[in-house]
Amino acid sequence: MERRIRRLGIFMVLCFIALFIQLNNIQVLKANSLANNQHNPRVQLVERSQTRGSILSADGVTLASSVLAPKGSIYKYQRVYDNYTSTLFAQIVGFDSIKYGNFRGVEAQYNSYLTPHTRPAKTLRDLLINRTVVDNVTLTIGTKLQSQVAAALDQHAPGVLGAAAVVLNPETGAVEAMYSNPTYDPNPLVSEDLATETKAWTTYLNPTLSPGNPLVPGTYGQVYPPGSSFKVVTTSAVLENRPDLAKMIYPTVSSVVLPNSGTPPQSLTNYHNGACGGNLEALVIQSCDADFAQIGQLLGAQTLANQAQAYGFNQTIPLDVPPDTVAVSNFGTAADFADDIPGLMKSAIGQENVTASALQMAMVAGTVADGGVEMTPHVMSQIRDSQGNLVKVYEPKAWQQPISAETANTLTTFMQGVVKSGTAAPVGFPAAWDVAAKTGTAQTGSFGPDPAYTDDWLIAFAPVGNTKVAIAVVLPNQVGSATGATYSGPIVKQILGDVLADQATP
């Protein structure tokens, strides 16, 4: 009996110690994080008893704001998103939900500015006054171009899930438009009725009710095989590292045998079985898969992987939204290709191991346009307080320099050739626009000359020599064996026309 009592006593002491430790853990170690947790009702009550800063477009349209809540509400203020622009900007602005927080978009990234905070004292007078302020965030993206980009996608790719377009300024990294289908309306997610929020959340996450995952931006949160648009990266590796390969004349062939691919060995065939060859410029203009596959083998895995890494593959692009919402574009490491020469050859033409976001490929085009410098992309232009005083302005900064100015000039010439007489010629860009571009058609079903499904790309910049815009458009999972020029070309052409016309307007 005494033994049992002793055991019970020891057990009770251990329970007391565990309770003591947990109480200290909650009241001391985790006190600050729990007190500031967005799911804490008291935090919500404090936040919504004060107004929250607004988010504005580049042309001054209020995209997100705080308004007085309806009479009888437990909160004083409610977050609302402009009805006209809410779906246009949802995947950039994000939302500030009572139940689900604000872990997406600008609402999350600049939360410390948007929520009430104490402005630092600069004078003795400041110590005597209330310095609690909220700041307003202005984006680099205007409603006009954003609407035009959405219209171009809706016109030429109606109902295409994952269809995405990114327009950026290659000199500054400023994102000027970024839109993808499907999108969503954030207003139900900021309702004071938690049942309404829950219904909207579960609906947007349900692949049957909301196919295409609208809460994940197709522009920077999803990746697809870039196909031949990746040949810009492969060509960069040649020009930067293997000048001997740049001087070669490649055979005119329609296919190439893949070594170590079994018995009988597999072949990689040019798209639609066409034969092409010649110097490096001709290979880019004609987009010769077989010869580029051999170039990948000659470059070797390490050189090609290093070049992809230099452009931003295999790492998180520093876009100013929460990093965990930015998809990593992948190429793979040299070790991934150690015993896989066929995989390396296919990856050299933007397939097999390679995936990229529309943002990543717009940055590839922008790097060439900017003389080899890859600028850090951003959606924030400036932040001002509620009195209009400037708090912060974005200062453009380079992220990486994957290629030299000489290589960029050479690539520009090659990409101009793609437009004039190569795979992008059918798009019909006006000569006066002076466009440089590269098409991409990635096979996503069976791999062969006539695939059942393709991801279709076009990346471009214009006008050459005075470039203010770089574009990437992707249409995933297209039925049939069309090309990036056929599917994405008309969208890029329409967007470029809108941008250049706007720039020409005094």
Side-chain angles (χ1 to χ4, degrees), residues 48 59 260:
R48 283 166 171 75
D59 50 342
N260 304 331

Side-chain angles (χ1 to χ4, degrees), residues 7-168:
R7 288 177 179 175
L8 178 61
I10 293 172
F11 175 75
M12 295 297 291
V13 169
L14 291 175
C15 287
F16 179 78
I17 292 173
L19 178 63
F20 178 79
I21 292 173
Q22 181 63 2
L23 284 173
N24 280 274
N25 180 46
I26 292 173
Q27 294 181 346
V28 180
L29 298 178
K30 292 185 177 179
N32 185 65
S33 62
L34 290 172
N36 293 286
N37 191 301
Q38 285 193 331
H39 295 290
N40 186 333
R42 292 193 176 190
V43 173
Q44 293 286 353
L45 189 61
V46 170
E47 285 188 358
R48 283 166 171 75
S49 67
Q50 306 174 80
T51 188
R52 181 175 172 87
S54 297
I55 300 173
L56 300 95
S57 67
D59 50 342
V61 175
T62 301
L63 306 173
S65 60
S66 293
V67 299
L68 286 171
K71 189 175 181 179
S73 170
I74 62 173
Y75 301 117
K76 185 176 181 180
Y77 290 98
Q78 180 179 351
R79 197 64 166 168
V80 296
Y81 299 93
D82 177 71
N83 286 330
Y84 171 68
T85 59
S86 60
T87 56
L88 273 176
F89 284 83
Q91 295 177 342
I92 302 163
V93 169
F95 54 85
D96 181 43
S97 167
I98 295 173
K99 183 173 183 179
Y100 300 105
N102 56 10
F103 57 90
R104 281 177 166 80
V106 172
E107 289 275 32
Q109 186 70 16
Y110 294 100
N111 183 59
S112 62
Y113 292 94
L114 294 166
T115 53
H117 55 279
T118 302
R119 183 183 61 209
K122 296 182 179 179
T123 65
L124 288 175
R125 181 179 177 278
D126 286 346
L127 296 174
L128 304 176
I129 62 174
N130 181 6
R131 303 193 310 280
T132 300
V133 296
V134 295
D135 300 323
N136 301 321
V137 178
T138 298
L139 305 184
T140 57
I141 304 169
T143 57
K144 181 180 179 181
L145 182 57
Q146 185 77 349
S147 299
Q148 290 171 331
V149 169
L153 282 175
D154 291 341
Q155 178 181 340
H156 297 285
V160 175
L161 300 178
V166 174
V167 182
L168 56 80

